[in-house]
Amino acid sequence: MGRIPSLKNFNAFPHAEDHLLKKTYSGAIVTIFGLIIMITLFVHELKYYLTTYTVHQMSVDLKRGETLPIHINMSFPSLPCEVLSVDAIDMSGKHEVDLHTNIWKLRLDKYGHIIGTEYLNDLVEKEHGTHNHDHDHEHQDEQKKHEHTFNEDAEKMVKSVKQAMENGEGCRVYGVLDVQRVAGNFHISVHGLNIFVAEKIFEGSNHVNVSHVIHDLSFGPKYPGIHNPLDDTTRILHDTSGTFKYYIKIVPTEYRYLSKQVLPTNQFSVTEYFVPKRSTDRSAWPAVYFLYDLSPITVTIKEERRNFLHFITRLCAVLGGTFAMTGMLDRWMYRLIESVTNSKTRSVLRYRERRCRVSGRRAPVEKRQRRRRKDVFHDVAPIIEVVAGAEDD
């Protein structure tokens, strides 16, 4: 196949002959600098391409008949484990006692170290109904028969709890509550005690200190980037008492990984409210309430990766731009160095020319001076001889 001669005119990359190429130290320095920049930008673009980003979508929640997991991890530095109980109630008022619940209570010393464990298999204690809640539960006749009497077990419990409180013993409650997927609340308090046992231990509800630390509170497994607003929350009371209420709005969430795996979980927002205990109010005992409600909107979070062609386009733009800039920098440096070198060379040549000119002017003057000296000597010599002869006579 014959070559078309005019095709060379379309060549956008003409090549110079080898003897016309000139390598300089400045060009080498600019090349090394450009390579470092290119490698750095390449690594940055590669990390940017490999890093996933998330897309959020919202839709109506269509889940029904599922349970809501509540992960609890809290510490009560001023209340022993024997007096604490966990209670869960849904919006219909039904106590959730039949669910598969795993709750542990860890005894803590005054320094926060674990000194013992206790497992709770029920959320509501047997004596729960004999205690006055904010909901004003009615007392049953059978419970009234035992309100004014203490058996030996109760006396031992009172002594044990008082001793634990004197030693500064606290309690850590952690585990999982599985409740119905409807609005409700769960609370941690001393409501599991018989009202008269509680009076005997604390000598009034005003002395119940529900200071607490929420290490972790969530409504499902965690996914990358989730933020639970109550994590690491500390509420310490000094010389006062009261009830803490956390109003929680739960948002059902689905997290879809890049591998198409779906993780059902929940996010939530919270509003905190504290009700101080009044000295005249003896009906309500301090507690920590978590009142939750579910949003009808589900948030879907998808992991996605950037397009490969987009990565190639950005890479070409970055590397090409760096190459063009280093080329311009090399030309500027070469011209600057050439201009400085040429100016120095010109100044040296001018200096030499001046010296030559000066030396060329001095030579004829010296010759003329020598000739004048000789002429003067020839003119004066006869006179000197005559004077010398006369002196001899």
Side-chain angles (χ1 to χ4, degrees):
M1 180 179 179
R3 296 182 179 179
I4 303 175
S6 60
L7 187 61
K8 292 182 179 180
N9 297 329
F10 294 96
N11 185 7
F13 308 100
H15 300 280
E17 297 181 5
D18 294 339
H19 69 278
L20 298 177
L21 299 177
K22 184 178 181 180
K23 296 183 179 180
T24 60
Y25 288 103
S26 62
I29 294 173
V30 172
T31 301
I32 295 173
F33 180 70
L35 288 175
I36 294 174
I37 294 178
M38 287 182 182
I39 293 173
T40 304
L41 294 177
F42 172 76
V43 173
H44 178 269
E45 288 296 327
L46 183 61
K47 288 183 178 180
Y48 180 75
Y49 167 70
L50 295 178
T51 303
T52 58
Y53 67 97
T54 56
V55 177
H56 293 69
Q57 298 177 348
M58 292 187 294
S59 60
V60 178
D61 184 20
L62 301 178
K63 295 180 181 178
R64 294 291 183 272
E66 298 183 4
T67 58
L68 178 67
I70 304 175
H71 300 264
I72 306 172
N73 189 354
M74 298 177 60
S75 293
F76 291 83
S78 301
L79 292 175
C81 288
E82 293 182 78
V83 299
L84 282 177
S85 63
V86 183
D87 189 7
I89 305 174
D90 61 22
M91 64 183 303
S92 64
K94 180 182 178 181
H95 294 185
E96 301 292 346
V97 296
D98 298 326
L99 297 175
H100 299 288
T101 304
N102 297 317
I103 296 294
W104 290 85
K105 292 196 296 185
L106 305 179
R107 294 174 56 199
L108 305 176
D109 60 13
K110 60 181 179 180
Y111 302 106
H113 300 148
I114 298 174
I115 57 177
T117 61
E118 182 181 350
Y119 177 70
L120 297 182
N121 55 4
D122 290 329
L123 294 180
V124 184
E125 300 293 340
K126 293 181 180 179
E127 292 98 349
H128 177 80
T130 66
H131 196 283
N132 285 331
H133 289 265
D134 295 335
H135 303 287
D136 295 330
H137 299 297
E138 295 181 357
H139 299 291
Q140 297 179 3
D141 294 338
E142 294 181 359
Q143 294 168 342
K144 290 182 178 180
K145 295 179 181 180
H146 302 284
E147 286 180 347
H148 302 285
T149 60
F150 288 99
N151 54 25
E152 294 181 359
D153 294 337
E155 290 288 350
K156 291 180 181 179
M157 179 181 179
V158 171
K159 292 181 180 180
S160 175
V161 172
K162 286 188 175 182
Q163 184 63 38
M165 293 177 67
E166 290 178 359
N167 296 335
E169 187 173 316
C171 185
R172 185 165 186 169
V173 181
Y174 77 96
V176 181
L177 300 177
D178 291 321
V179 298
Q180 293 182 359
R181 199 177 180 83
V182 294
N185 76 80
F186 68 94
H187 53 272
I188 304 174
S189 63
V190 297
H191 295 169
L193 295 175
N194 182 287
I195 183 65
F196 295 99
V197 173
E199 287 281 355
K200 189 73 173 178
I201 294 173
F202 297 103
E203 298 178 357
S205 59
N206 293 328
H207 300 105
V208 179
N209 189 345
V210 290
S211 298
H212 59 278
V213 179
I214 303 176
H215 305 286
D216 176 50
L217 180 67
S218 59
F219 294 85
K222 296 182 178 181
Y223 61 84
I226 190 174
H227 173 68
N228 294 324
L230 286 179
D231 289 357
D232 300 322
T233 298
T234 302
R235 297 292 180 266
I236 303 298
L237 299 177
H238 300 283
D239 301 327
T240 185
S241 182
T243 297
F244 289 91
K245 294 184 179 181
Y246 296 95
Y247 295 92
I248 298 173
K249 193 69 172 182
I250 301 174
V251 181
T253 304
E254 285 187 354
Y255 191 88
R256 298 179 181 271
Y257 289 93
L258 201 62
S259 60
K260 306 302 181 182
Q261 181 183 357
V262 179
L263 178 66
T265 183
N266 298 279
Q267 304 179 75
F268 69 94
S269 61
V270 62
T271 302
E272 180 182 352
Y273 183 63
F274 175 69
V275 182
K277 186 74 172 65
R278 298 179 181 178
S279 58
T280 57
D281 187 6
R282 297 184 178 181
S283 60
W285 285 68
V288 180
Y289 282 86
F290 298 89
L291 301 96
Y292 57 88
D293 192 8
L294 282 86
S295 171
I297 301 298
T298 297
V299 176
T300 302
I301 305 174
K302 294 182 180 180
E303 283 186 350
E304 293 188 2
R305 180 167 289 169
R306 294 166 181 84
N307 191 281
F308 180 73
L309 293 179
H310 187 205
F311 166 69
I312 295 297
T313 303
R314 289 175 59 94
L315 193 62
C316 292
V318 168
L319 298 182
T322 306
F323 184 80
M325 289 299 298
T326 52
M328 294 173 61
L329 182 61
D330 177 58
R331 288 193 294 271
W332 293 339
M333 290 185 64
Y334 179 77
R335 291 176 182 176
L336 179 62
I337 294 173
E338 284 292 323
S339 62
V340 173
T341 305
N342 292 336
S343 62
K344 289 182 178 180
T345 304
R346 291 172 185 172
S347 61
V348 171
L349 293 176
R350 289 174 183 174
Y351 177 74
R352 290 179 179 178
E353 289 177 359
R354 290 174 183 174
R355 291 192 61 183
C356 291
R357 292 174 183 176
V358 171
S359 61
R361 291 176 181 176
R362 286 179 179 177
V365 173
E366 290 178 355
K367 288 180 181 180
R368 285 194 296 269
Q369 289 178 352
R370 289 172 190 163
R371 289 175 184 176
R372 290 176 183 176
R373 289 172 186 173
K374 289 180 181 181
D375 294 339
V376 172
F377 179 77
H378 287 298
D379 294 338
V380 176
I383 298 173
I384 293 172
E385 289 179 358
V386 172
V387 173
E391 289 180 355
D392 293 337
D393 295 338

